Amino acid sequence: MIFPLTSRLSQDPRFLIGNGGNIYEGRGWTKMGAHAIGYNYKSIGIAFIGDFRKRLPSRAARNAAKRLIQCGVALKKIRKNYTLKGHLNVGKTACPGNALYNNIKTWPRFKAGKESLP
């Protein structure tokens, strides 16, 4: 289930994921996010709520992100041949944190580096 957000977020991702596995809608599928300068128009920002430098989000949260990506593919909001990246791959940031980034690197379609983003 996707819950809509009503307050403005500092970086305005399209979706936020809570540790319980709930997905919160920020800008959603149709409004461009403001999460990665220079990449907002060609990306979907999905943020996890929490600090993941030393620990992972829950399995429920990680699975929710994977389901959200597949939902985007099914709705044709994300291309079938999408490239998955961490925020630090497209900007000067420590986001999403080392623990989460190392986990995301094992997910399908992950590719590091800016050059591979369409």
Side-chain angles (χ1 to χ4, degrees):
M1 175 174 270
I2 299 175
F3 301 96
L5 292 175
T6 56
S7 63
R8 190 180 185 298
L9 302 166
S10 63
Q11 291 196 309
D12 288 341
R14 292 195 184 188
F15 296 95
L16 282 164
I17 299 179
N19 217 35
N22 287 331
I23 300 169
Y24 301 93
E25 185 176 27
R27 294 194 176 194
W29 296 117
T30 59
K31 293 182 184 172
M32 183 170 54
H35 53 280
I37 295 170
Y39 294 87
N40 294 317
Y41 71 96
K42 56 184 172 182
S43 65
I44 302 287
I46 300 171
F48 289 82
I49 300 169
D51 179 349
F52 304 107
R53 292 176 287 183
K54 295 183 180 177
R55 66 177 179 87
L56 286 172
S58 69
R59 183 177 306 275
R62 296 189 318 265
N63 287 339
K66 292 173 185 177
R67 286 192 314 272
L68 179 61
I69 293 167
Q70 289 310 308
C71 177
V73 171
L75 293 171
K76 297 186 178 6
K77 302 296 182 180
I78 298 175
R79 290 188 330 247
K80 287 181 187 178
N81 65 340
Y82 69 89
T83 299
L84 179 66
K85 296 197 170 291
H87 193 185
L88 61 84
N89 292 123
V90 297
K92 292 182 181 182
T93 179
C95 181
N98 287 335
L100 179 54
Y101 183 71
N102 287 332
N103 182 262
I104 289 171
K105 290 191 302 188
T106 69
W107 294 12
R109 311 213 45 83
F110 175 84
K111 196 166 197 178
K114 294 180 182 184
E115 70 285 344
S116 60
L117 198 67

